[in-house]
Amino acid sequence: MTEAFLQYVWQHQLLDHELTTVDGQPVVVLRAGELNQDAGPDFFNARVRVGGVEWVGNVEVHIHTSDWDVHRHTQDEAYNNIVLHVVYEHDTEIVLQSGRVPPTVELKNYLPPAVVSNYEALMTPDDNNSVPCGRRVGEVPQFLVKSFLDRLLAERIMAKTDTVRRLLEESHGGWEQTCYWLMARYFGSKVNALPFEMLAKATDQRLLARWKDNPSRVEAVLMGQAGLLEGYFEDEYPRLLQKDYEALKTGTGMKPMGGYLWRFYCLRPSSFPTIRISQFAKLLSTTSGLFSTLLDMHDTREMVKMFDQSAAAYWNNHYRFDTATEKQTVKHVGKTQAQLLIINAWVPLLFLYGTVHGQEKYKEQAVELLTQLPAEDNAVMRKWCQVGITPCNAAESQALLQLENNYCKSRKCLECGIGFQILKHK
């Protein structure tokens, strides 16, 4: 038994029978009150009728009545306006700081057994790390699941805009620069996100725009700034990049970052930073401004085509400088990675752009783009598919990721719309 569960039961009035106080007075709940997330009583502005007398004030919830003294509420005048003390088990009498004895309701005999067993099942860890409500989620009507997923999608987009807003503030409101930094961050995926962002911030995109007609020069600058052109090379291609970088950085104030920051281990070779930097250089060479170009696009197929750039020909049989492979393959960004760039970088940026400028059409467009893209294929999605919830598009897969990361992992079933339906189910 937890206070959080008791608060939840009281908030939603998931109780059996008519309530009475421990001394036998009838209790009618006219308004459960507003749950308080800060210090002070658990519920504000409740309305209850106790023994025929109507009271308006606060409600405090505890497991045991004696917890009142354990929590030192007797010395706190903030609790003088308590009109009802709700406990799981009554084990003592308490007195407010004002000297008044508040009426107490013992919930032990009013909790529906089904609600308690449902809660225990949700809170019991599962050895195979499955969805906590996996065995019961099929009982929840699909329209209610879809409705909650819509709310979760909004939560996820808003959370992602926090990162975008930080970059926008750092760029002093420069949308092009923010887009450039953000795309670089997500080109690095999770492992090299920070080094890629550092690379973009250390390399002025306006300088790169000067050489956009020559992708090799753009790559030379990015590789040099990444600290990956240090030392001696046997192959002609890295020596050429090295030479171009030394010439192009003259008079620009550019300084390379530490090459040691890049991670190659625990990565597929196709995701090595050398490959990703070459692909990013190619992308930057296709346009004078990523933000303005994307803002004019409304179809994800067009965006995917733009993002799906290939690394320079040298990388067809290399993953690192001076280390050739037998197999020749063109190193494309790939459709899946291109779609992830839209999901993780462009959609939050477009949504924030609409928010800042008060233009709903851009916010709606951002959500529409997610509905155009297929659902992501990852371990989390496969887990949800196993319990009968299969995402139809990226909007739904993003919502399920939010559900997994912010609710399921930490067992916040009491805050979950799906969990609520299961808990109250009898």
Side-chain angles (χ1 to χ4, degrees):
M1 190 56 58
T2 66
E3 282 190 15
F5 175 59
L6 295 176
Q7 289 170 354
Y8 187 85
V9 168
W10 178 260
Q11 181 181 12
H12 299 286
Q13 288 298 291
L14 304 178
L15 300 166
D16 275 341
H17 315 301
E18 295 179 356
L19 301 177
T20 60
T21 62
V22 293
D23 58 359
Q25 298 182 78
V27 175
V28 178
V29 181
L30 303 173
R31 185 171 63 227
E34 303 162 14
L35 182 62
N36 174 30
Q37 303 290 354
D38 298 315
D42 293 319
F43 291 90
F44 291 141
N45 301 321
R47 285 180 61 205
V48 295
R49 187 177 296 128
V50 182
V53 178
E54 187 171 317
W55 297 82
V56 177
N58 303 328
V59 172
E60 181 67 6
V61 177
H62 286 124
I63 297 175
H64 301 100
T65 317
S66 56
D67 290 337
W68 181 276
D69 291 322
V70 173
H71 297 169
R72 298 184 179 181
H73 295 331
T74 304
Q75 290 79 36
D76 192 341
E77 62 180 11
Y79 290 83
N80 279 338
N81 196 28
I82 294 295
V83 295
L84 194 65
H85 192 201
V86 177
V87 301
Y88 176 70
E89 188 170 37
H90 181 60
D91 61 352
T92 189
E93 294 293 337
I94 60 129
V95 180
L96 305 184
Q97 191 234 24
S98 63
R100 182 169 63 88
V101 177
T104 300
V105 170
E106 185 181 55
L107 293 184
K108 184 165 57 175
N109 297 321
Y110 298 109
L111 292 176
V115 172
V116 176
S117 62
N118 289 342
Y119 176 68
E120 289 175 345
L122 290 174
M123 293 297 108
T124 302
D126 199 321
D127 292 338
N128 62 7
N129 194 34
S130 63
V131 177
C133 61
R135 290 187 292 272
R136 304 287 303 276
V137 70
E139 301 169 11
V140 182
Q142 282 299 300
F143 80 93
L144 291 175
V145 174
K146 295 287 186 184
S147 175
F148 186 57
L149 290 182
D150 287 342
R151 195 189 98 185
L152 290 169
L153 176 61
E155 276 185 22
R156 186 158 179 84
I157 292 176
M158 292 303 295
K160 285 187 173 183
T161 59
D162 288 342
T163 298
V164 183
R165 195 182 294 274
R166 172 181 64 81
L167 293 175
L168 183 65
E169 290 172 356
E170 194 174 341
S171 70
H172 304 291
W175 292 99
E176 282 290 354
Q177 185 156 294
T178 301
C179 185
Y180 165 58
W181 289 348
L182 195 63
M183 289 299 168
R185 180 180 181 85
Y186 283 100
F187 246 84
S189 302
K190 287 185 179 179
V191 174
N192 285 304
L194 183 56
F196 238 111
E197 184 180 323
M198 292 169 62
L199 172 60
K201 289 179 177 178
T203 313
D204 193 331
Q205 64 171 338
R206 292 170 298 183
L207 287 175
L208 296 177
R210 294 182 189 175
W211 308 304
K212 74 182 189 69
D213 294 330
N214 190 334
S216 178
R217 287 189 168 184
V218 176
E219 182 172 339
V221 172
L222 289 175
M223 289 287 188
Q225 286 292 91
L228 297 175
L229 293 179
E230 303 290 331
Y232 171 79
F233 296 102
E234 293 181 357
D235 289 351
E236 181 181 2
Y237 186 70
R239 290 205 306 268
L240 266 173
L241 293 180
Q242 201 175 43
K243 182 179 178 181
D244 281 348
Y245 174 61
E246 291 302 322
L248 294 171
K249 78 173 184 178
T250 303
T252 63
M254 289 191 295
K255 293 181 180 179
M257 56 192 281
Y260 64 88
L261 293 168
W262 299 96
R263 288 181 58 185
F264 287 81
Y265 297 106
C266 301
L267 280 176
R268 293 178 180 178
S270 59
S271 297
F272 277 7
T274 44
I275 306 299
R276 290 294 188 214
I277 290 172
S278 183
Q279 292 165 342
F280 191 54
K282 192 73 170 293
L283 173 64
L284 296 176
S285 300
T286 64
T287 174
S288 297
L290 287 171
F291 181 78
S292 54
T293 301
L294 285 166
L295 199 61
D296 289 335
M297 294 183 178
H298 304 282
D299 192 312
T300 55
R301 290 170 297 183
E302 189 179 5
M303 294 178 183
V304 167
K305 186 177 179 180
M306 185 188 81
F307 283 129
D308 191 13
Q309 300 293 332
S310 59
Y314 173 80
W315 299 107
N316 289 354
N317 67 330
H318 288 81
Y319 291 103
R320 289 174 177 265
F321 290 122
D322 286 349
T323 306
T325 60
E326 292 183 6
K327 189 176 180 181
Q328 291 256 1
T329 55
V330 177
K331 307 298 193 304
H332 283 280
V333 168
K335 188 176 181 180
T336 299
Q337 181 64 20
Q339 290 170 345
L340 289 175
L341 285 168
I342 298 170
I343 293 170
N344 294 315
W346 178 242
V347 165
L349 181 61
L350 182 62
F351 192 90
L352 181 62
Y353 183 75
T355 302
V356 170
H357 291 282
Q359 298 195 43
E360 290 295 318
K361 67 175 183 178
Y362 290 118
K363 295 164 70 173
E364 292 170 1
Q365 184 183 334
V367 176
E368 173 61 25
L369 291 174
L370 291 176
T371 64
Q372 291 179 24
L373 292 170
E376 296 144 278
D377 181 15
N378 52 45
V380 173
M381 293 310 109
R382 290 190 285 275
K383 189 159 63 172
W384 280 106
C385 289
Q386 287 175 357
V387 298
I389 297 182
T390 303
C392 299
N393 50 47
E396 292 186 1
S397 63
Q398 282 287 292
L400 288 173
L401 283 171
Q402 183 74 4
L403 180 56
E404 168 71 11
N405 295 331
N406 290 65
Y407 295 82
C408 298
K409 279 185 178 178
S410 50
R411 299 269 169 173
K412 291 183 178 179
C413 303
L414 298 180
E415 300 173 30
C416 171
I418 296 173
F420 170 68
Q421 295 300 325
I422 292 172
L423 274 169
K424 74 174 187 177
H425 189 72
K426 300 179 183 179

